Amino acid sequence: MKVLNAPFVQGFMRMADDGWQQGWHERNGGNLSYRIRTEEIESVREELKKDGEWKEIGITVPAMAGEYFLVTGSGKYFRNVMRDPEDSICIIEVDQAGEKYRICWGLVNGGRPTSELPSHLMNLEVKKLQNEKYRVVYHCHATNIIALTFVLPLKDEVFTRELWEMATECPVVFPDGVGVVEWMVPGGREIAVATSELMKKYDVAIWAHHGMFCAGEDFDLTFGLAHTVEKSAEILVKMLSMRPDKLQTITVQNFKDLARDFGVTLPEKFLYEK
Ligand code: 13P
Ligand code: ZN
């Protein structure tokens, strides 16, 4: 099969375009990665090149040894993924030590995988070790989440609780909550380690004054997660724009009732009395 006809590539491109249409990917903002299944990589094997140069990832991901990933290119625009995928995205293979990668398909006009590759691979590794089904990591510059990082304390408890309160389905969609990373230089090992620590506990990590990372089992779940978090952030921004306090809200008891009826466990640390 041609790479571009493979369903996982089609799903990846659709998600990138959905993110662009939401306004979360100005210029080259954001990046996306997908851990390819064995049968999926076999289905496109004929089109993969084997002579790419091995390059350092910058971190070590032993559990990713020998795996293949579909990732966006560094400096590439989500806006162009659908129109010119071979220029914008690539398939990479990770070596047996989990230290190097090589490009097997795509980026036909040159370039390299996203500068956030260390964060993507470390997050995918953390998730794989917890749950083999996790395959997608998504970084977007969602406007309202970024805005909130200027006015809310950068604490997991505060972001989780405030987002949960803004939309009833939030505690059901992300019952584990969200984590927050204070401002850090993007693109390197340090922010990758900090984010992957949060990914041990959550499926969402917010980067202060920058954007968010989401992880999930497939494109629908991961995009839906980012969409739900950002929608909730938008409601909070609107609410705070009207007045600084709430006349009424979803209470701690409401959350407990919701958790019981929907069969989710909500960590006590988010159910504090204000
Ligand atoms: P890349 O173009 O290297 O993916 O970087 C975009 C970005 O959002 C960095 O955080
Ligand atoms: Zn970014």
Side-chain angles (χ1 to χ4, degrees), residues 30-31 116 139 141 207 210:
N31 22 79
E116 305 294 0
H139 168 54
H141 293 179
W207 283 6
H210 185 146

Side-chain angles (χ1 to χ4, degrees), residues 3 5-13 34 36 40-41 43-44 70 91 219:
V3 169
N5 294 333
F8 73 93
V9 181
Q10 290 286 325
F12 183 100
M13 285 162 45
Y34 172 71
I36 304 171
E40 289 170 333
I41 201 68
S43 73
V44 298
L70 183 58
I91 292 175
F219 298 120

Side-chain angles (χ1 to χ4, degrees), residues 250-260 273:
I250 302 172
T251 65
V252 169
Q253 189 55 51
N254 292 155
F255 284 126
K256 289 182 176 164
D257 293 345
L258 187 75
R260 186 195 58 233
E273 291 299 338

Side-chain angles (χ1 to χ4, degrees), residues 6 8 21 87 121 135 154 159 162 197 257 273:
F8 73 93
Q21 297 204 30
D87 173 73
L121 293 182
R135 296 193 170 270
L154 300 176
F159 267 78
E162 293 305 317
E197 276 305 311
D257 293 345
E273 291 299 338

Side-chain angles (χ1 to χ4, degrees), residues 26 28-31 114-116 139-141 186-187 207 210-213:
E26 74 292 339
N28 65 308
N31 22 79
T114 172
S115 58
E116 305 294 0
H139 168 54
C140 63
H141 293 179
W207 283 6
H210 185 146
M212 71 170 130
F213 263 82

